[in-house]
Amino acid sequence: MTTQHSGKKRSRYSAFQLFSKGLTQEGWPEVWSQPEMKSSYDVVIIGGGLHGLATAYYLAKNHGITDIAVIDKGYIGGGGSGRNTSILRSNYLTPEGVRFYDRSLKLYEELSGELNFNLMFAQMGHMSLAHDDGGMRTMRWRAEVNKAQGVNSEVIGPAEVEELVPYIDVSKNTRYPVLGALYHPPGGTIRHDAVVWGYARAAHEMGVHVIQHTEVTGIDVEGGKVTGVQTSQGRIATETAVNCTAGWASLISDMAGVRMPVTTSPLQAAVTEPVKPFLGTVVVSGTLHVYVSQTDRGELVFGASVDPFTSYSMRGTLEFVEGLATNVLSLMPSLSKMRLLRQWAGLCDMTPDYSPIMGGTEVDGFYVDVGWGTYGFKAGPVAGESMAALIATEKTPELIKGFGMERFSTGQLVGEKGAAAVGH
Amino acid sequence: MMQINCPWCGLRNATEFKQHGEKPPRPDVATTTMEQWHDYLYFRSNHWGVVKEMWFHSAGCRQFFTLHRDTFANKAIRSEGDPR
């Protein structure tokens, strides 16, 4: 099956179109199709998740490079992009981190219009609770770093916490009393599948080949340079390969002979049955290892820290649900009658300093955008934009200078551990 | 739940244990290069499939032992250690 690419204008989504399709009962046109894989591309992006598709999109849009294949062994957005808890925020701890994630948040704010795809970005606010003096100190530290970088964040007391979310137990009688919180109004949630589909649709329209159900089986390196990518559909000749495979990052990098400072851990999440809207912000507690948000459908989405040992297995465990329920209930006792609908796991590529690895490697033409751990989704747009700029211009953008692989040999690690949503 | 055979205590739930991960031999500080040292500190093989790791029975006998584990099937295969 071949499709025309460049020049094929997508139909624009609009309220009028929705109305007229409703009247005529006409079907919607295919958003993207599985194109015939060519034998060579300028750029091959391995991994059709948010990061891979965003990189392809910004390469095409900002740099005019459209001869790109995005290859995924499953379907697009089937990995971490479809398994995260879709929380966006930029209240990080290091100035590098704050600047980087704030750029991402700014891109997300404009993205629905830019992609002509409703991403349902709800900037409902984000609240990180502190339960002890150490926690309060970190929150004040983060608030000051954020303000210095122009990010809206402030420390609030238990009374304001209760005002924002009356269902939180702020009494002094709990094991971990709420002493205050870091409140970050621009934070919120977004529909993660829509972000992936929006990027795929826009990239496809500009001529990018999104090739699903095709596994990369090898990377050809000759004389320290990438010459091609082996896939289950045959070989692709290319001089540029980009590894955007998150939890599988080590396996793809191994194919190019690049060793990674990455370990893969499952991260589980769970969702309840839907109830009436009552939770107006995202609530995070690092001490209790839990984060809670309510979706537009009314379901409560719970997340926690990564599993206690590394694994490539994406199955849920009972001990996770038990621990999660205990912690959620000590935070919001009124949820005790809620029922869980399902739980799932995604794979996280953890780095030693909880910051990503972005940039070139010792193999010429082999780029990595990995090490995204538990914070990759909120960084999708800026990671795509930065990787696209790096690949097109061969100059590392200022925003990602600190995130190169060389930091592990110079010792200049970017410690983001204190700002992770919950402990790792 | 995954169960792990502790060489000292027998089959126990995985929640009793703590993973210490890949344990390559520590390079000799006198002769090692910076590159080897950083590799030892930060870089990991992160294999898919059967790996050989160090584990600690933290909520049990508090002994270290070597565990062969399948990271894809999420199964402990066998343990090595010297029970007293």
Side-chain angles (χ1 to χ4, degrees), chain B residues 22-43:
Chain B
E22 295 165 32
K23 277 284 178 275
R26 185 186 170 100
D28 181 4
V29 182
T31 55
T32 185
T33 62
M34 271 318 249
E35 221 164 57
Q36 286 168 326
W37 184 245
H38 285 122
D39 190 271
Y40 168 73
L41 278 183
Y42 299 123
F43 288 69

Side-chain angles (χ1 to χ4, degrees), chain A residues 35-42 67-69 209 211 235-237:
Chain A
E36 195 87 48
M37 197 174 85
K38 296 196 297 175
S39 60
S40 87
Y41 287 96
D42 285 348
D67 190 26
I68 305 171
H209 282 190
I211 300 164
R235 183 179 186 272
I236 303 171

Side-chain angles (χ1 to χ4, degrees), chain A residues 250 259 264 310-312 409, chain B residues 19 38-39 46-47 69 71:
Chain A
S250 304
R259 226 165 117 77
T264 297
T310 63
S311 169
Y312 283 100
S409 42
Chain B
Q19 179 196 30
H38 285 122
D39 190 271
N46 200 21
H47 276 306
R69 181 174 69 96
T71 57

Side-chain angles (χ1 to χ4, degrees), chain A residues 308-309, chain B residues 2 4-10 12-23 53-69 79-80 84:
Chain A
F309 53 89
Chain B
M2 186 170 95
I4 294 172
N5 192 17
C6 170
W8 286 271
C9 312
R12 297 293 180 94
N13 286 342
T15 45
E16 287 188 13
F17 297 84
K18 191 171 180 330
Q19 179 196 30
H20 278 247
E22 295 165 32
K23 277 284 178 275
E53 294 171 328
M54 183 181 272
W55 281 65
F56 178 52
H57 196 178
S58 52
C61 60
R62 301 191 68 77
Q63 298 283 342
F64 287 91
F65 62 96
T66 302
L67 176 70
H68 297 255
R69 181 174 69 96
S79 311
E80 288 172 26
R84 272 178 289 228

Side-chain angles (χ1 to χ4, degrees), chain A residues 77-411:
Chain A
S81 311
R83 294 167 186 269
N84 59 75
T85 48
S86 71
I87 296 168
L88 304 182
R89 65 186 175 94
S90 61
N91 56 354
Y92 274 71
L93 180 68
T94 62
E96 293 94 333
V98 176
R99 282 197 293 272
F100 183 73
Y101 290 100
D102 197 47
R103 171 73 186 149
S104 204
L105 205 59
K106 295 277 182 320
L107 287 169
Y108 266 124
E109 284 171 1
E110 305 295 325
L111 210 54
S112 280
E114 188 182 327
L115 299 178
N116 177 231
F117 208 104
N118 186 0
L119 308 179
M120 295 164 64
F121 185 14
Q123 290 186 288
M124 54 175 76
H126 182 283
M127 195 161 68
S128 313
L129 302 174
H131 301 269
D132 51 31
D133 289 344
M136 281 306 285
R137 193 165 57 235
T138 310
M139 295 312 168
R140 280 195 288 270
W141 178 8
R142 279 168 68 180
E144 292 311 316
V145 173
N146 292 349
K147 283 179 202 162
Q149 301 294 333
V151 169
N152 186 359
S153 260
E154 57 184 317
V155 174
I156 58 175
E160 290 155 295
V161 170
E162 194 174 23
E163 202 173 298
L164 280 164
V165 185
Y167 296 87
I168 292 185
D169 184 3
V170 294
S171 68
K172 295 245 171 352
N173 306 325
T174 53
R175 184 173 174 200
Y176 298 108
V178 174
L179 300 186
L182 179 70
Y183 183 51
H184 176 53
T189 62
I190 197 165
R191 190 176 168 219
H192 53 201
D193 294 327
V195 181
V196 171
W197 297 335
Y199 272 126
R201 173 169 172 259
H204 174 257
E205 194 219 6
M206 289 188 284
V208 172
H209 282 190
V210 180
I211 300 164
Q212 307 183 72
H213 306 292
T214 302
E215 191 171 347
V216 169
T217 53
I219 295 170
D220 300 340
V221 179
E222 273 169 42
K225 276 175 131 167
V226 171
T227 56
V229 172
Q230 303 282 353
T231 76
S232 52
Q233 278 201 64
R235 183 179 186 272
I236 303 171
T238 184
E239 289 182 350
T240 309
V242 190
N243 178 1
C244 296
T245 52
W248 296 266
S250 304
L251 307 177
I252 297 293
S253 288
D254 275 353
M255 293 175 188
V258 175
R259 226 165 117 77
M260 302 294 286
V262 165
T263 55
T264 297
S265 290
L267 175 65
Q268 298 185 51
V271 66
T272 67
E273 59 189 346
V275 290
K276 278 186 183 173
F278 73 95
L279 189 59
T281 62
V282 180
V283 178
V284 178
S285 167
T287 308
L288 291 168
H289 294 277
V290 70
Y291 38 97
V292 186
S293 65
Q294 191 169 24
T295 66
D296 299 314
R297 281 182 298 202
E299 300 152 333
L300 291 179
V301 180
F302 301 131
S305 45
V306 293
D307 278 8
F309 53 89
T310 63
S311 169
Y312 283 100
S313 142
M314 281 192 283
R315 57 186 89 180
T317 58
L318 179 64
E319 58 265 31
F320 166 78
V321 181
E322 287 173 341
L324 180 77
T326 310
N327 291 333
V328 168
L329 291 183
S330 58
L331 201 61
M332 297 188 198
S334 54
L335 300 185
S336 63
K337 294 287 190 288
M338 297 273 291
R339 282 171 296 192
L340 279 187
L341 274 190
R342 60 182 178 276
Q343 70 179 114
W344 65 93
L347 293 186
C348 294
D349 39 342
M350 311 302 297
T351 57
D353 59 352
Y354 301 94
S355 286
I357 303 168
M358 303 173 75
T361 59
E362 69 256 30
V363 175
D364 220 17
F366 184 67
Y367 295 88
V368 291
D369 173 33
V370 302
W372 282 106
T374 60
Y375 31 85
F377 178 71
K378 59 181 74 67
V382 69
E385 189 188 53
S386 309
M387 286 308 290
L390 170 65
I391 293 161
T393 64
E394 293 186 359
K395 279 194 207 103
T396 311
E398 199 60 44
L399 266 183
I400 62 165
K401 277 228 166 98
F403 295 143
M405 182 104 99
E406 61 282 357
R407 73 176 186 270
F408 296 100
S409 42
T410 59

